[in-house]
Amino acid sequence: MNLARNMTVSAILLGAFAITGTGLLALTHQATRERIAQNERELLLRTLNELVPGTERDNDPYSDITQVLEPGALGSDKPVTVYRARKEGQPVAAIINAVAPDGYSGRIGLLVAVRYDGTLAGVRVTAHRETPGLGDAIETSRSDWILGFDDKSLDNPRPRGWRVKRDGGEFDQFTGATVTPRAIVRAVFNTLRYFESNREAMFAPAQGGQEPGETIDDA
């Protein structure tokens, strides 16, 4: 009887610990998820402002968005977000959340800011798993390599120049790491071409009085 009672008590205690632990884990996950989401939003806002400062626009690109779908050009089989900057109602720049799908360690998330005239306001990496000490030089905190896209366009350099130097182009690669910069150069060039072909549609207002957020399918 004592053995059976002890086993019952132990089972009850273990169950109570399990329930308590699960509850604490759920609460921690919820709190952490909200904090992570807030941090990601703040980082995105800072990056948008770096690429297109408030002096160049008078709207809020974070809320003036549309989504576009073109896997071949933008690197994702899901709609990607485009943040639109305007001044006095006129288009200033589109910040396109493109993807370089063929990085050395997988997909590389990008924000490619293209001015309405087709020149690049800048490029920033938003997510990657590239090798620390080699491929992570794409981060502004590690090097200024990504700043080399500033003010470039489809005509500057000419299409043949949109390669890393090892492939006969004009963009530097990293010592011991060519795949990563090659993937980003290709992705930025493809994004510029997509922008040139879809510029007007990208800045078109939403139809029917709805909020921005329509999807353009150029496939």
Side-chain angles (χ1 to χ4, degrees):
M1 293 291 294
N2 288 337
L3 178 60
R5 184 173 64 183
N6 290 339
M7 291 179 63
T8 301
V9 171
S10 297
I12 292 172
L13 289 174
L14 286 173
F17 281 129
I19 293 171
T20 301
T22 301
L24 290 174
L25 184 61
L27 288 173
T28 301
H29 174 71
Q30 179 67 20
T32 303
R33 183 176 63 181
E34 292 176 356
R35 176 63 61 86
I36 291 173
Q38 178 64 22
N39 290 343
E40 289 177 346
R41 180 180 182 275
E42 291 175 357
L43 176 60
L44 173 59
L45 290 172
R46 289 198 300 271
T47 305
L48 292 175
N49 195 58
E50 283 180 16
L51 293 169
V52 186
T55 54
E56 299 178 12
R57 55 177 170 78
D58 57 15
N59 74 323
D60 175 17
Y62 185 79
S63 60
D64 187 351
I65 65 173
T66 188
Q67 291 188 314
V68 298
L69 178 62
E70 177 42 78
L74 302 180
S76 175
D77 57 2
K78 299 178 181 179
V80 302
T81 302
V82 178
Y83 304 91
R84 302 180 289 192
R86 307 176 195 264
K87 192 164 188 176
E88 297 181 355
Q90 298 302 309
V92 171
I95 304 100
I96 303 169
N97 201 356
V99 174
D102 49 357
Y104 184 80
S105 299
R107 294 156 57 91
I108 301 172
L110 302 170
L111 282 176
V112 182
V114 191
R115 300 186 186 96
Y116 191 69
D117 65 3
T119 60
L120 283 166
V123 179
R124 295 291 185 276
V125 173
T126 59
H128 74 88
R129 294 182 296 174
E130 301 304 279
T131 306
L134 290 174
D136 65 348
I138 56 180
E139 300 175 15
T140 54
S141 61
R142 302 286 297 172
S143 81
D144 61 359
W145 179 83
I146 203 77
L147 304 182
F149 290 104
D150 293 2
D151 299 317
K152 294 292 192 290
S153 68
L154 291 178
D155 295 323
N156 175 31
R158 302 295 295 179
R160 286 184 175 274
W162 278 93
R163 299 179 176 88
V164 295
K165 290 180 178 178
R166 179 172 295 180
D167 299 334
E170 297 189 13
F171 292 88
D172 291 330
Q173 59 268 336
F174 311 138
T175 302
T178 302
V179 173
T180 302
R182 180 186 287 140
I184 293 179
V185 170
R186 184 185 299 115
V188 173
F189 179 66
N190 287 340
T191 302
L192 281 173
R193 292 201 303 177
Y194 180 84
F195 179 83
E196 182 181 51
S197 300
N198 296 274
R199 183 185 344 236
E200 299 304 325
M202 203 172 288
F203 282 100
Q207 300 297 316
Q210 298 177 354
E211 292 298 317
E214 58 190 328
T215 298
I216 303 167
D217 188 346
D218 191 52

